[in-house]
Amino acid sequence: MRRYLIQDVIGSGGMGAVYRARDMHFPNAVKLVAIKEMVSSTNDPKVNQMMIKNFEREANLLVTLSHPSITSIYDYFSIDQRAYLVIEYVYGKDLERILDRLTDFIPEDQVIKWAIQLCDVLDYLHSHEPEPIIFRDIKPSNIMINRQGNVVLIDFGIAKTFQIGQKGTIIGTEGYAPPEQYRGEATPSVDIYALGATLHHVLTRHDPTIEPPFTFEQRKISSFNPGVSRELVAVVEKALSYDASDRYTSAREMKEALIRVGHQTGLLSGIDALLNRTPGADLSLARAIDPSSDQLIKPVWTFRSEDEIRGSAVVLEQDVYIGAYDNNVYKINASDGRFVWKFPASGGIVSQPAVNNGTLFFGSEDGKVYAVRCSTGKEAWSFKTGGPVRCSPYLAEDHVFIGSDDCNLYALTQAGGRPSWKAETMAPIRSKPYVTDDRVVVANMNGELLCTDTAGFVKWRFSAKRSILCSLAIDDDGILYFGSLDATFYAVDAKTGWPMWRFRMDKGSVSSPVIDEKFVYFGSADGKVYCLNKSNGKQVWASTFSSQISGSPYINKTHLFVGDAQGLFYCLKKDSGEVEWSYQTGGPITSAPVSYNELLIFGSADKNLYALSI
Amino acid sequence: MVQKNNNTQKKQLDNSGEWNEGQDSDQDVISDPTICVAWAQALGHRYHHNEDSLFAYTATLQTEKGEQHFGCFCVADGMGGYENGELASAMAVEKMGEHVLRKIFIPMLVPNEVFGQEPILQVLENGMLEIHEGISQKIMDGGSTMTVAVLVGDHLSIAHVGDTRAYIIREGADIEQITEDQTLVQRLVTLGQMTEEEARNYPQRNVLYYALGRGDNVEPFLLSKKVTRQAYLLLCSDGLWEVVPAEDIQNIILAQREVNKITHALVSQAVNNGAMDNVTALVAKL
């Protein structure tokens, strides 16, 4: 014991402590070592024996290893009930302490570099002969970052050699250990998951040990740290797959994927310098990913109006009807974009027409509600309100229900345009109403949601703090969904007016929500498309874009389509929000796409109506 | 607006002279033209004290919108040394009951109320978070699970922390567990990494990852769903569901039909099946 002069305690746990000590065999030089102590405090000889055996195993394991990311072992000895390991002292800090003290995210190139080094050391351990070594407890507190900024693995206390078919004990750290580790399995895949969990922690600065177990899928990296590249997120998510068979088959494969991320994101040059490696083969892979694939998408057809297209189209049989700010409603062949007829109103059209019994209904900036024959494009009737009509009509009970900027909700007969009743609210109505057999719900620009019976008498009111401009969505349980400019998305019981839940966004929303199975989807001015669980309002995923999402989504079986204020039209995976492709138009997209056969049809403020193949 | 019928019962059962190990010993019933609720409790074979607490309140309001039903039901299962488990669960149901009545029921009594206040699920979530803070600060070493169910009109809103459970039982349909246990094994089962059978025998099956008053934070499970009339809502502690399989629970409820008989039969069955833990069953016929 005279050889080592204890200077400080650098860590302690239930089974002992780790000390910083000076090796006095080198009196003329300061050689620091780490001394790991194991104290057996139990009187049970069997437990004592097992603990000593484990400690010896760690010593025997370490002494056979040689890798820049693994500490060297210098000595092993025991005194009474205490056993000691003398290990290389690592100058630096462990990753947990680094994370605790940070106020910002660690740059992505730095994380990729550490991840590659960790994969490298895991690859070394997993390739160990005669048996692979499974570390089993990869987590930030077991990863040191040395003075050179490189990773060093510490604490091989529970590392074990892997024998196929053999089950081990359940050891690991909750939050970092994969599901199969709770069944006692310890395969190389366990370390890959734990590395994924560690990278998730590093990238999001959210500690998985305080979250429900195995919920990384619900806690997307992008929702905590939108700055992380999609490529790196994909690597981490693959490593975090619940099923071991869906993860990387080896640490080497994961390392190669990380190096590819370096190429794809342009972070490679820095990483190359740091790693001092030249992964030539990966360049071809980087080239295989074509960054200009967006331009490969060509519309099946386009149709150009004279002014901005702000509203959504409606499809009936083989034709599409679309209003434009040039005052016209156009009828266009949905298959080829051929012009059929146009009907001129006296003001621009910014909403979505509705169609029933061969008649098209829509409102205009000229203050009128129009009914036009679909076959001929001739006016059937028009009704003048006291202000611009920017609300889309709802057709039900032989009536057109439509709001106006004159603050009234009108119920007009579909046959002749006669008003059966009107309900006055205190603000312009631009949100499409919702009508059942016994009630009408409408929202206005004061943020008021008003429910009347079918004769126009008020049944209940609900107040958001600012305007409601989107159309209302309702599900089979009778819950209404809508966003407001007050940066809140609401779920309200249509029968009683009771709010069930609300969801806070960073900015307001004008995007009309879409319901699909258990979820509700919408965009927001905060630049995100959200998917919420409609039974509790909890976020399932959110995808972040560079500009506000002014359009409304459309959903097919597997994908969601939506446009943004910079004119980009996106195709996202419905279950994850991951972008599959995008298409650039020349102006903001403020409406929802509609589908016709395999076509998606949507307008842009660049005056064009586009038809893209799904 | 007329308050047609208003029944209040709050029940935090504690150990009393007549409580015997493994005996069901308390039951009561609230009758209402539309909502009937009853409960029963037993100590279980291991305990001499009761760490489960419950709360029930129902009302039917006659309003311009028509008849509106309201119900608030809570079951909590405490944990901790000395009396801390009892104190924690009692505090949980008491605070939640008061919170729901103040934030949801009282506003319902105001005529022509313009709704814009806290949504129901947020009320329940905030209530849970406040109770978590309260237990953490006031009851050293105390903790509790809790399930709260609030009925407003046709919609049932649920908030839940830990492993107390809520079930819906209907004629002609399978029993539906509408809460998800916040336990390690439940996560493993959900992920397909463990079968229900394996979970039942897993040594760490009672490890909760959230409990009120324990740990840094809790994230309540939240759910809102439409319920059909004549459905039964069951809230229960793990003392019941650990020993009485879901199918048996369904059979008992549909065979008995009257809520007081149901709760008696459920608790008796749990005791007969060797329930070690405290047993609580609260049943509301909606």
Side-chain angles (χ1 to χ4, degrees), chain A residues 179 182-183 212-214 242 461-463 477 496 498-500 502 535-536 538, chain B residues 104 108 115 119-122 125 154-155 157 187 191 193 202 209-210 222 224:
Chain A
Y182 291 87
R183 296 198 307 258
F214 323 121
Y242 298 136
R461 293 171 198 271
F462 170 88
S463 278
D477 286 349
T496 61
W498 271 96
M500 305 307 291
R502 66 173 172 232
S535 69
N536 57 20
K538 296 292 176 191
Chain B
I104 301 172
M108 283 177 77
F115 297 123
I120 298 175
L121 286 185
Q122 258 80 43
E125 184 175 32
D154 299 338
H155 282 92
S157 299
R187 284 296 297 158
L191 296 174
Q193 296 285 342
Y202 192 71
Y209 55 82
Y210 287 140
L222 300 171
S224 160

mmCIF file of all heavy atoms in Angstrom, chain A residues 179 182-183 212-214 242 461-463 477 496 498-500 502 535-536 538, chain B residues 104 108 115 119-122 125 154-155 157 187 191 193 202 209-210 222 224:
data_model
loop_
_atom_site.group_PDB
_atom_site.id
_atom_site.type_symbol
_atom_site.label_atom_id
_atom_site.label_comp_id
_atom_site.label_asym_id
_atom_site.label_seq_id
_atom_site.Cartn_x
_atom_site.Cartn_y
_atom_site.Cartn_z
ATOM 1 N N PRO A 179 -34.823 -4.150 -23.958
ATOM 2 C CA PRO A 179 -35.797 -5.066 -23.354
ATOM 3 C C PRO A 179 -35.244 -6.462 -23.108
ATOM 4 O O PRO A 179 -35.490 -7.039 -22.045
ATOM 5 C CB PRO A 179 -36.918 -5.113 -24.401
ATOM 6 C CG PRO A 179 -36.794 -3.846 -25.163
ATOM 7 C CD PRO A 179 -35.343 -3.484 -25.155
ATOM 8 N N TYR A 182 -33.553 -7.594 -19.845
ATOM 9 C CA TYR A 182 -34.361 -7.949 -18.678
ATOM 10 C C TYR A 182 -34.713 -9.423 -18.678
ATOM 11 O O TYR A 182 -35.215 -9.943 -17.706
ATOM 12 C CB TYR A 182 -35.628 -7.090 -18.626
ATOM 13 C CG TYR A 182 -35.312 -5.650 -18.305
ATOM 14 C CD1 TYR A 182 -34.995 -4.738 -19.302
ATOM 15 C CD2 TYR A 182 -35.285 -5.221 -16.982
ATOM 16 C CE1 TYR A 182 -34.674 -3.425 -19.001
ATOM 17 C CE2 TYR A 182 -34.969 -3.918 -16.669
ATOM 18 C CZ TYR A 182 -34.661 -3.018 -17.691
ATOM 19 O OH TYR A 182 -34.337 -1.730 -17.377
ATOM 20 N N ARG A 183 -34.508 -10.062 -19.803
ATOM 21 C CA ARG A 183 -34.698 -11.516 -19.840
ATOM 22 C C ARG A 183 -33.370 -12.228 -19.611
ATOM 23 O O ARG A 183 -33.273 -13.432 -19.773
ATOM 24 C CB ARG A 183 -35.272 -11.934 -21.205
ATOM 25 C CG ARG A 183 -36.661 -11.386 -21.480
ATOM 26 C CD ARG A 183 -37.308 -12.174 -22.606
ATOM 27 N NE ARG A 183 -36.455 -12.223 -23.786
ATOM 28 C CZ ARG A 183 -36.628 -11.477 -24.861
ATOM 29 N NH1 ARG A 183 -37.641 -10.642 -24.925
ATOM 30 N NH2 ARG A 183 -35.821 -11.574 -25.889
ATOM 31 N N PRO A 212 -40.201 6.861 -18.783
ATOM 32 C CA PRO A 212 -40.718 5.485 -18.799
ATOM 33 C C PRO A 212 -39.812 4.602 -19.647
ATOM 34 O O PRO A 212 -39.242 5.074 -20.638
ATOM 35 C CB PRO A 212 -42.093 5.624 -19.461
ATOM 36 C CG PRO A 212 -42.456 7.045 -19.276
ATOM 37 C CD PRO A 212 -41.169 7.825 -19.256
ATOM 38 N N PRO A 213 -39.649 3.335 -19.247
ATOM 39 C CA PRO A 213 -38.723 2.484 -19.993
ATOM 40 C C PRO A 213 -39.154 2.278 -21.453
ATOM 41 O O PRO A 213 -40.348 2.194 -21.741
ATOM 42 C CB PRO A 213 -38.751 1.164 -19.215
ATOM 43 C CG PRO A 213 -39.961 1.219 -18.344
ATOM 44 C CD PRO A 213 -40.258 2.648 -18.105
ATOM 45 N N PHE A 214 -38.174 2.221 -22.325
ATOM 46 C CA PHE A 214 -38.368 1.903 -23.756
ATOM 47 C C PHE A 214 -39.345 2.860 -24.437
ATOM 48 O O PHE A 214 -40.286 2.431 -25.099
ATOM 49 C CB PHE A 214 -38.846 0.455 -23.941
ATOM 50 C CG PHE A 214 -38.219 -0.504 -22.977
ATOM 51 C CD1 PHE A 214 -38.994 -1.248 -22.112
ATOM 52 C CD2 PHE A 214 -36.850 -0.632 -22.922
ATOM 53 C CE1 PHE A 214 -38.412 -2.108 -21.197
ATOM 54 C CE2 PHE A 214 -36.260 -1.489 -22.010
ATOM 55 C CZ PHE A 214 -37.047 -2.238 -21.144
ATOM 56 N N TYR A 242 -36.669 -1.845 -30.781
ATOM 57 C CA TYR A 242 -37.035 -2.728 -29.668
ATOM 58 C C TYR A 242 -36.572 -4.153 -29.947
ATOM 59 O O TYR A 242 -36.095 -4.848 -29.072
ATOM 60 C CB TYR A 242 -38.551 -2.735 -29.466
ATOM 61 C CG TYR A 242 -39.117 -1.399 -29.109
ATOM 62 C CD1 TYR A 242 -40.277 -0.924 -29.704
ATOM 63 C CD2 TYR A 242 -38.491 -0.600 -28.159
ATOM 64 C CE1 TYR A 242 -40.803 0.311 -29.360
ATOM 65 C CE2 TYR A 242 -38.999 0.634 -27.818
ATOM 66 C CZ TYR A 242 -40.162 1.085 -28.415
ATOM 67 O OH TYR A 242 -40.677 2.291 -28.080
ATOM 68 N N ARG A 461 -71.340 27.853 -25.705
ATOM 69 C CA ARG A 461 -70.229 28.628 -26.278
ATOM 70 C C ARG A 461 -68.931 28.157 -25.640
ATOM 71 O O ARG A 461 -68.910 27.791 -24.472
ATOM 72 C CB ARG A 461 -70.361 30.118 -25.938
ATOM 73 C CG ARG A 461 -71.517 30.815 -26.574
ATOM 74 C CD ARG A 461 -71.627 32.215 -25.961
ATOM 75 N NE ARG A 461 -72.927 32.791 -26.205
ATOM 76 C CZ ARG A 461 -73.230 33.519 -27.280
ATOM 77 N NH1 ARG A 461 -72.299 33.773 -28.185
ATOM 78 N NH2 ARG A 461 -74.427 34.013 -27.440
ATOM 79 N N PHE A 462 -67.876 28.214 -26.428
ATOM 80 C CA PHE A 462 -66.537 27.929 -25.915
ATOM 81 C C PHE A 462 -65.620 29.034 -26.420
ATOM 82 O O PHE A 462 -65.752 29.471 -27.562
ATOM 83 C CB PHE A 462 -66.048 26.565 -26.445
ATOM 84 C CG PHE A 462 -64.594 26.305 -26.170
ATOM 85 C CD1 PHE A 462 -64.205 25.715 -24.977
ATOM 86 C CD2 PHE A 462 -63.609 26.658 -27.094
ATOM 87 C CE1 PHE A 462 -62.868 25.483 -24.710
ATOM 88 C CE2 PHE A 462 -62.269 26.432 -26.832
ATOM 89 C CZ PHE A 462 -61.909 25.840 -25.632
ATOM 90 N N SER A 463 -64.713 29.479 -25.575
ATOM 91 C CA SER A 463 -63.835 30.573 -26.006
ATOM 92 C C SER A 463 -62.374 30.184 -26.036
ATOM 93 O O SER A 463 -61.823 29.780 -25.006
ATOM 94 C CB SER A 463 -63.988 31.763 -25.057
ATOM 95 O OG SER A 463 -65.110 32.494 -25.423
ATOM 96 N N ASP A 477 -66.645 9.910 -31.972
ATOM 97 C CA ASP A 477 -67.083 10.071 -30.590
ATOM 98 C C ASP A 477 -67.697 11.441 -30.333
ATOM 99 O O ASP A 477 -68.040 11.772 -29.195
ATOM 100 C CB ASP A 477 -65.894 9.874 -29.625
ATOM 101 C CG ASP A 477 -65.513 8.411 -29.504
ATOM 102 O OD1 ASP A 477 -66.281 7.566 -29.996
ATOM 103 O OD2 ASP A 477 -64.459 8.126 -28.928
ATOM 104 N N THR A 496 -71.559 18.980 -25.383
ATOM 105 C CA THR A 496 -71.651 19.827 -24.190
ATOM 106 C C THR A 496 -70.805 21.092 -24.260
ATOM 107 O O THR A 496 -71.004 22.005 -23.468
ATOM 108 C CB THR A 496 -71.164 19.040 -22.956
ATOM 109 O OG1 THR A 496 -69.791 18.670 -23.177
ATOM 110 C CG2 THR A 496 -71.998 17.799 -22.725
ATOM 111 N N TRP A 498 -67.683 21.037 -23.564
ATOM 112 C CA TRP A 498 -66.583 20.873 -22.606
ATOM 113 C C TRP A 498 -65.269 20.602 -23.321
ATOM 114 O O TRP A 498 -65.205 19.726 -24.168
ATOM 115 C CB TRP A 498 -66.870 19.691 -21.680
ATOM 116 C CG TRP A 498 -67.625 20.086 -20.485
ATOM 117 C CD1 TRP A 498 -68.974 20.017 -20.320
ATOM 118 C CD2 TRP A 498 -67.095 20.651 -19.295
ATOM 119 N NE1 TRP A 498 -69.313 20.508 -19.093
ATOM 120 C CE2 TRP A 498 -68.188 20.895 -18.437
ATOM 121 C CE3 TRP A 498 -65.810 20.989 -18.860
ATOM 122 C CZ2 TRP A 498 -68.020 21.464 -17.175
ATOM 123 C CZ3 TRP A 498 -65.651 21.546 -17.608
ATOM 124 C CH2 TRP A 498 -66.753 21.773 -16.784
ATOM 125 N N PRO A 499 -64.226 21.358 -22.961
ATOM 126 C CA PRO A 499 -62.912 21.018 -23.517
ATOM 127 C C PRO A 499 -62.402 19.721 -22.886
ATOM 128 O O PRO A 499 -62.505 19.549 -21.670
ATOM 129 C CB PRO A 499 -62.031 22.203 -23.118
ATOM 130 C CG PRO A 499 -62.716 22.827 -21.950
ATOM 131 C CD PRO A 499 -64.180 22.520 -22.059
ATOM 132 N N MET A 500 -61.908 18.810 -23.704
ATOM 133 C CA MET A 500 -61.394 17.549 -23.174
ATOM 134 C C MET A 500 -59.901 17.674 -22.900
ATOM 135 O O MET A 500 -59.398 17.163 -21.923
ATOM 136 C CB MET A 500 -61.634 16.402 -24.164
ATOM 137 C CG MET A 500 -63.080 16.241 -24.591
ATOM 138 S SD MET A 500 -64.234 16.091 -23.208
ATOM 139 C CE MET A 500 -63.807 14.506 -22.551
ATOM 140 N N ARG A 502 -56.159 20.177 -24.290
ATOM 141 C CA ARG A 502 -55.590 21.173 -25.202
ATOM 142 C C ARG A 502 -54.103 20.888 -25.342
ATOM 143 O O ARG A 502 -53.494 20.257 -24.481
ATOM 144 C CB ARG A 502 -55.828 22.597 -24.701
ATOM 145 C CG ARG A 502 -55.114 22.898 -23.428
ATOM 146 C CD ARG A 502 -55.208 24.349 -23.037
ATOM 147 N NE ARG A 502 -54.649 24.458 -21.707
ATOM 148 C CZ ARG A 502 -55.256 25.035 -20.686
ATOM 149 N NH1 ARG A 502 -56.425 25.599 -20.833
ATOM 150 N NH2 ARG A 502 -54.673 25.082 -19.498
ATOM 151 N N SER A 535 -56.997 10.667 -28.106
ATOM 152 C CA SER A 535 -57.663 10.321 -26.847
ATOM 153 C C SER A 535 -57.083 11.094 -25.658
ATOM 154 O O SER A 535 -57.719 11.169 -24.618
ATOM 155 C CB SER A 535 -57.568 8.823 -26.577
ATOM 156 O OG SER A 535 -56.246 8.466 -26.291
ATOM 157 N N ASN A 536 -55.898 11.684 -25.802
ATOM 158 C CA ASN A 536 -55.353 12.424 -24.658
ATOM 159 C C ASN A 536 -54.564 13.678 -25.033
ATOM 160 O O ASN A 536 -54.050 14.370 -24.160
ATOM 161 C CB ASN A 536 -54.471 11.512 -23.788
ATOM 162 C CG ASN A 536 -53.329 10.884 -24.556
ATOM 163 O OD1 ASN A 536 -52.939 11.373 -25.623
ATOM 164 N ND2 ASN A 536 -52.791 9.810 -24.044
ATOM 165 N N LYS A 538 -51.703 13.971 -26.395
ATOM 166 C CA LYS A 538 -50.249 13.865 -26.272
ATOM 167 C C LYS A 538 -49.607 13.750 -27.660
ATOM 168 O O LYS A 538 -50.137 13.078 -28.545
ATOM 169 C CB LYS A 538 -49.872 12.635 -25.446
ATOM 170 C CG LYS A 538 -50.344 12.709 -24.010
ATOM 171 C CD LYS A 538 -49.612 13.792 -23.244
ATOM 172 C CE LYS A 538 -50.149 13.945 -21.836
ATOM 173 N NZ LYS A 538 -49.650 15.124 -21.161
ATOM 174 N N ILE B 104 -64.232 21.274 -12.197
ATOM 175 C CA ILE B 104 -65.133 20.755 -13.237
ATOM 176 C C ILE B 104 -66.592 20.841 -12.817
ATOM 177 O O ILE B 104 -67.432 21.385 -13.541
ATOM 178 C CB ILE B 104 -64.769 19.299 -13.624
ATOM 179 C CG1 ILE B 104 -63.324 19.238 -14.142
ATOM 180 C CG2 ILE B 104 -65.729 18.757 -14.689
ATOM 181 C CD1 ILE B 104 -62.792 17.846 -14.385
ATOM 182 N N MET B 108 -69.938 23.582 -13.840
ATOM 183 C CA MET B 108 -71.123 23.031 -14.514
ATOM 184 C C MET B 108 -72.410 23.601 -13.941
ATOM 185 O O MET B 108 -73.451 23.590 -14.593
ATOM 186 C CB MET B 108 -71.164 21.494 -14.355
ATOM 187 C CG MET B 108 -70.210 20.749 -15.247
ATOM 188 S SD MET B 108 -70.281 18.973 -14.923
ATOM 189 C CE MET B 108 -71.799 18.521 -15.756
ATOM 190 N N PHE B 115 -67.618 28.102 -21.922
ATOM 191 C CA PHE B 115 -66.512 27.221 -21.613
ATOM 192 C C PHE B 115 -65.234 27.753 -22.240
ATOM 193 O O PHE B 115 -65.215 28.166 -23.366
ATOM 194 C CB PHE B 115 -66.784 25.809 -22.118
ATOM 195 C CG PHE B 115 -67.971 25.194 -21.441
ATOM 196 C CD1 PHE B 115 -69.043 24.730 -22.175
ATOM 197 C CD2 PHE B 115 -68.008 25.116 -20.062
ATOM 198 C CE1 PHE B 115 -70.133 24.174 -21.543
ATOM 199 C CE2 PHE B 115 -69.091 24.564 -19.427
ATOM 200 C CZ PHE B 115 -70.174 24.090 -20.168
ATOM 201 N N PRO B 119 -59.279 22.361 -19.859
ATOM 202 C CA PRO B 119 -59.882 21.119 -20.337
ATOM 203 C C PRO B 119 -59.806 20.017 -19.271
ATOM 204 O O PRO B 119 -58.919 20.031 -18.418
ATOM 205 C CB PRO B 119 -59.018 20.749 -21.545
ATOM 206 C CG PRO B 119 -58.367 22.010 -21.955
ATOM 207 C CD PRO B 119 -58.188 22.812 -20.710
ATOM 208 N N ILE B 120 -60.745 19.073 -19.358
ATOM 209 C CA ILE B 120 -60.870 18.059 -18.307
ATOM 210 C C ILE B 120 -59.568 17.282 -18.094
ATOM 211 O O ILE B 120 -59.122 17.097 -16.970
ATOM 212 C CB ILE B 120 -62.026 17.089 -18.638
ATOM 213 C CG1 ILE B 120 -63.338 17.867 -18.682
ATOM 214 C CG2 ILE B 120 -62.115 15.971 -17.609
ATOM 215 C CD1 ILE B 120 -64.540 17.058 -19.119
ATOM 216 N N LEU B 121 -58.945 16.841 -19.202
ATOM 217 C CA LEU B 121 -57.721 16.045 -19.025
ATOM 218 C C LEU B 121 -56.598 16.865 -18.391
ATOM 219 O O LEU B 121 -55.781 16.347 -17.642
ATOM 220 C CB LEU B 121 -57.247 15.450 -20.351
ATOM 221 C CG LEU B 121 -58.056 14.276 -20.882
ATOM 222 C CD1 LEU B 121 -57.405 13.695 -22.126
ATOM 223 C CD2 LEU B 121 -58.219 13.174 -19.849
ATOM 224 N N GLN B 122 -56.569 18.176 -18.708
ATOM 225 C CA GLN B 122 -55.540 19.021 -18.079
ATOM 226 C C GLN B 122 -55.828 19.194 -16.596
ATOM 227 O O GLN B 122 -54.916 19.238 -15.780
ATOM 228 C CB GLN B 122 -55.467 20.385 -18.766
ATOM 229 C CG GLN B 122 -54.296 20.518 -19.726
ATOM 230 C CD GLN B 122 -54.564 19.866 -21.060
ATOM 231 O OE1 GLN B 122 -55.654 20.010 -21.595
ATOM 232 N NE2 GLN B 122 -53.612 19.146 -21.604
ATOM 233 N N GLU B 125 -54.631 16.019 -15.087
ATOM 234 C CA GLU B 125 -53.166 15.945 -15.132
ATOM 235 C C GLU B 125 -52.556 16.889 -14.093
ATOM 236 O O GLU B 125 -51.674 16.501 -13.329
ATOM 237 C CB GLU B 125 -52.665 16.308 -16.537
ATOM 238 C CG GLU B 125 -51.165 16.154 -16.688
ATOM 239 C CD GLU B 125 -50.692 16.394 -18.121
ATOM 240 O OE1 GLU B 125 -51.314 17.225 -18.819
ATOM 241 O OE2 GLU B 125 -49.719 15.743 -18.544
ATOM 242 N N ASP B 154 -71.424 12.083 -22.057
ATOM 243 C CA ASP B 154 -71.112 10.747 -22.590
ATOM 244 C C ASP B 154 -69.630 10.420 -22.506
ATOM 245 O O ASP B 154 -69.206 9.371 -22.976
ATOM 246 C CB ASP B 154 -71.454 10.676 -24.098
ATOM 247 C CG ASP B 154 -72.908 10.911 -24.346
ATOM 248 O OD1 ASP B 154 -73.688 10.709 -23.402
ATOM 249 O OD2 ASP B 154 -73.265 11.293 -25.465
ATOM 250 N N HIS B 155 -68.825 11.360 -22.048
ATOM 251 C CA HIS B 155 -67.388 11.167 -22.126
ATOM 252 C C HIS B 155 -66.753 10.898 -20.776
ATOM 253 O O HIS B 155 -66.994 11.604 -19.804
ATOM 254 C CB HIS B 155 -66.721 12.367 -22.806
ATOM 255 C CG HIS B 155 -66.878 12.333 -24.283
ATOM 256 N ND1 HIS B 155 -67.922 12.953 -24.922
ATOM 257 C CD2 HIS B 155 -66.163 11.702 -25.245
ATOM 258 C CE1 HIS B 155 -67.824 12.712 -26.224
ATOM 259 N NE2 HIS B 155 -66.770 11.955 -26.444
ATOM 260 N N SER B 157 -63.259 10.669 -18.794
ATOM 261 C CA SER B 157 -61.860 11.103 -18.837
ATOM 262 C C SER B 157 -61.112 10.415 -17.709
ATOM 263 O O SER B 157 -61.592 10.386 -16.578
ATOM 264 C CB SER B 157 -61.762 12.617 -18.689
ATOM 265 O OG SER B 157 -62.453 13.232 -19.746
ATOM 266 N N ARG B 187 -44.423 -2.468 -19.856
ATOM 267 C CA ARG B 187 -43.681 -1.964 -21.021
ATOM 268 C C ARG B 187 -43.124 -3.134 -21.821
ATOM 269 O O ARG B 187 -43.181 -3.154 -23.050
ATOM 270 C CB ARG B 187 -42.529 -1.044 -20.605
ATOM 271 C CG ARG B 187 -42.942 0.336 -20.181
ATOM 272 C CD ARG B 187 -43.573 1.151 -21.288
ATOM 273 N NE ARG B 187 -42.670 1.405 -22.399
ATOM 274 C CZ ARG B 187 -43.070 1.719 -23.627
ATOM 275 N NH1 ARG B 187 -44.335 1.803 -23.918
ATOM 276 N NH2 ARG B 187 -42.191 1.939 -24.585
ATOM 277 N N LEU B 191 -44.193 -4.112 -25.648
ATOM 278 C CA LEU B 191 -43.191 -4.186 -26.722
ATOM 279 C C LEU B 191 -43.060 -5.591 -27.294
ATOM 280 O O LEU B 191 -42.254 -5.826 -28.176
ATOM 281 C CB LEU B 191 -41.824 -3.741 -26.188
ATOM 282 C CG LEU B 191 -41.749 -2.296 -25.738
ATOM 283 C CD1 LEU B 191 -40.418 -2.004 -25.091
ATOM 284 C CD2 LEU B 191 -41.973 -1.370 -26.918
ATOM 285 N N GLN B 193 -41.885 -8.101 -25.763
ATOM 286 C CA GLN B 193 -40.666 -8.749 -25.268
ATOM 287 C C GLN B 193 -40.982 -9.748 -24.166
ATOM 288 O O GLN B 193 -40.095 -10.442 -23.681
ATOM 289 C CB GLN B 193 -39.698 -7.690 -24.735
ATOM 290 C CG GLN B 193 -39.194 -6.740 -25.780
ATOM 291 C CD GLN B 193 -38.160 -7.383 -26.676
ATOM 292 O OE1 GLN B 193 -37.574 -8.401 -26.338
ATOM 293 N NE2 GLN B 193 -37.946 -6.806 -27.841
ATOM 294 N N TYR B 202 -43.060 -12.771 -13.367
ATOM 295 C CA TYR B 202 -41.774 -12.085 -13.359
ATOM 296 C C TYR B 202 -41.487 -11.543 -11.961
ATOM 297 O O TYR B 202 -42.365 -10.923 -11.346
ATOM 298 C CB TYR B 202 -41.801 -10.947 -14.386
ATOM 299 C CG TYR B 202 -40.459 -10.340 -14.688
ATOM 300 C CD1 TYR B 202 -39.505 -11.049 -15.411
ATOM 301 C CD2 TYR B 202 -40.150 -9.045 -14.268
ATOM 302 C CE1 TYR B 202 -38.273 -10.486 -15.700
ATOM 303 C CE2 TYR B 202 -38.922 -8.474 -14.563
ATOM 304 C CZ TYR B 202 -37.988 -9.204 -15.275
ATOM 305 O OH TYR B 202 -36.780 -8.632 -15.564
ATOM 306 N N TYR B 209 -42.672 2.499 -12.624
ATOM 307 C CA TYR B 209 -41.746 3.567 -13.010
ATOM 308 C C TYR B 209 -42.295 4.951 -12.683
ATOM 309 O O TYR B 209 -41.575 5.929 -12.747
ATOM 310 C CB TYR B 209 -41.275 3.448 -14.454
ATOM 311 C CG TYR B 209 -42.324 3.369 -15.516
ATOM 312 C CD1 TYR B 209 -42.936 4.516 -15.999
ATOM 313 C CD2 TYR B 209 -42.671 2.157 -16.068
ATOM 314 C CE1 TYR B 209 -43.874 4.446 -16.995
ATOM 315 C CE2 TYR B 209 -43.621 2.075 -17.055
ATOM 316 C CZ TYR B 209 -44.223 3.222 -17.524
ATOM 317 O OH TYR B 209 -45.170 3.160 -18.510
ATOM 318 N N TYR B 210 -43.557 5.030 -12.338
ATOM 319 C CA TYR B 210 -44.105 6.275 -11.801
ATOM 320 C C TYR B 210 -44.999 5.962 -10.610
ATOM 321 O O TYR B 210 -45.770 4.996 -10.648
ATOM 322 C CB TYR B 210 -44.982 7.003 -12.834
ATOM 323 C CG TYR B 210 -44.234 7.664 -13.965
ATOM 324 C CD1 TYR B 210 -44.725 7.605 -15.256
ATOM 325 C CD2 TYR B 210 -43.065 8.373 -13.736
ATOM 326 C CE1 TYR B 210 -44.064 8.210 -16.315
ATOM 327 C CE2 TYR B 210 -42.391 8.984 -14.783
ATOM 328 C CZ TYR B 210 -42.887 8.904 -16.065
ATOM 329 O OH TYR B 210 -42.230 9.510 -17.088
ATOM 330 N N LEU B 222 -53.183 9.477 -19.653
ATOM 331 C CA LEU B 222 -54.427 10.225 -19.832
ATOM 332 C C LEU B 222 -55.235 9.631 -20.970
ATOM 333 O O LEU B 222 -54.666 9.195 -21.973
ATOM 334 C CB LEU B 222 -54.119 11.699 -20.170
ATOM 335 C CG LEU B 222 -53.322 12.486 -19.131
ATOM 336 C CD1 LEU B 222 -52.915 13.829 -19.701
ATOM 337 C CD2 LEU B 222 -54.133 12.681 -17.866
ATOM 338 N N SER B 224 -59.348 10.001 -22.909
ATOM 339 C CA SER B 224 -60.736 10.424 -22.918
ATOM 340 C C SER B 224 -61.458 9.509 -23.892
ATOM 341 O O SER B 224 -60.943 9.243 -24.977
ATOM 342 C CB SER B 224 -60.776 11.879 -23.372
ATOM 343 O OG SER B 224 -62.045 12.189 -23.834
#
